[in-house]
Amino acid sequence: MKTIGLLGGMSWESTVGYYRAINEGVKAQLSGLHSAKIAMVSVDFEPIEKLQHAGDWDGTARILVDAAKNVQSAGADFLLICTNTMHKVAPQIEEALEIPLLHIADATAEELLAKGIRKVGLLGTGFTMEQDFYKGRLSEKFGLEVVVPNQADRDIVHRVIYEELCLGKTEADSKAEYLRIIDTLAEQGAEAVILGCTEIGMLVQQQDTQVPLVDTTMIHAQKAVEHAVK
């Protein structure tokens, strides 16, 4: 079994989900008392969040490159960045490592294409919904058509992530707003909606809506299991 490298803490709330899903996946694959071999570095999210909102992505890259190198030194065979937004600096991290990076957008796109989905809604931080590092990869590399909410709804999605979900809070009013936004994306032709922030699955699950949801945390974790045990 290969050792899975995790770069977590952004936020730690969602990293817990990665750890659980990966270990459950390995147990399902191998049965018995098997669990995943994991090398993980969990960063302090506060300074990273401040750099994000200041637009200092080079600063975030320096922090995450150092952390990723520590994961590699701990014996990881490949790396997962346990957050969608910080894949903005994935190229800098990949360049600094000798081990491969398992990109969350690639894993998500492969899942969508396997299900025959071509037009998809995207929820995430404002950075993920508005900048090209994520939705551009989905469209240019995989030919997917990506729909995002309008500005007012993007502001709601972003605020709930940072002010509630990253702090472990799940509010009924916020869930209702997310479900409304998901319905709106479906009305615009989205065949499914990507939960493109690793915390969103804490708030909204498939049983809450008839619109197909694509949970990036679960997909990324399952892809890691496949790479580890093949």
Side-chain angles (χ1 to χ4, degrees):
M1 190 192 316
K2 293 179 180 176
T3 299
I4 300 168
L6 298 182
L7 180 49
M10 300 167 282
S11 67
W12 72 263
E13 297 282 353
S14 63
T15 305
V16 170
Y18 269 92
Y19 188 81
R20 180 182 296 111
I22 288 170
N23 277 290
E24 288 176 347
V26 167
K27 182 178 180 181
Q29 288 276 339
L30 301 179
S31 70
L33 294 176
H34 283 290
S35 57
K37 294 173 63 180
I38 293 174
M40 180 171 70
V41 171
S42 187
V43 298
D44 179 8
F45 190 38
E46 175 83 8
I48 291 171
E49 181 272 334
K50 285 184 167 28
L51 291 169
Q52 287 177 338
H53 286 93
D56 186 357
W57 296 101
D58 288 340
T60 67
R62 285 191 290 272
I63 294 171
L64 295 192
V65 164
D66 286 345
K69 286 180 177 178
N70 288 336
V71 177
Q72 178 176 268
S73 297
D77 292 299
F78 59 93
L79 178 73
L80 278 70
I81 308 170
C82 302
T83 161
N84 287 272
T85 297
M86 293 317 301
H87 278 74
K88 180 173 175 68
V89 298
Q92 294 96 308
I93 294 172
E94 283 186 292
E95 186 177 355
L97 297 181
E98 297 174 6
I99 60 175
L101 172 70
L102 191 61
H103 200 291
I104 196 168
D106 293 356
T108 301
E110 289 164 6
E111 178 79 7
L112 289 165
L113 293 177
K115 293 180 177 179
I117 294 169
R118 293 288 176 175
K119 185 172 183 178
V120 65
L122 174 63
L123 299 182
T125 66
F127 312 115
T128 299
M129 292 185 289
E130 294 167 9
Q131 298 181 21
D132 205 43
F133 69 92
Y134 195 94
K135 62 183 182 180
R137 190 178 183 101
L138 295 177
S139 58
E140 293 164 17
K141 185 173 180 180
F142 297 95
L144 294 167
E145 183 179 354
V146 182
V147 182
V148 298
N150 62 34
Q151 182 65 64
D153 285 347
R154 292 199 303 272
D155 290 344
I156 292 169
V157 173
H158 183 89
R159 179 191 61 76
V160 169
I161 290 168
Y162 281 96
E163 296 181 11
E164 297 175 17
L165 300 181
C166 286
L167 298 173
K169 300 177 183 177
T170 54
E171 304 290 348
D173 289 347
S174 297
K175 182 172 185 174
E177 285 286 77
Y178 267 55
L179 292 173
R180 176 188 61 78
I181 294 166
I182 287 168
D183 286 342
T184 300
L185 292 172
E187 289 166 5
Q188 294 173 329
E191 303 165 73
V193 173
I194 298 172
L195 306 184
C197 175
T198 50
E199 285 84 13
I200 296 177
M202 297 163 54
L203 184 67
V204 178
Q205 291 86 40
Q206 187 60 72
Q207 62 263 30
D208 299 319
T209 178
Q210 293 184 342
V211 180
L213 301 180
V214 183
D215 188 328
T216 54
T217 300
M218 295 300 103
I219 290 169
H220 207 195
Q222 182 55 40
K223 191 65 69 172
V225 171
E226 292 170 7
H227 275 67
V229 301
K230 68 179 181 181

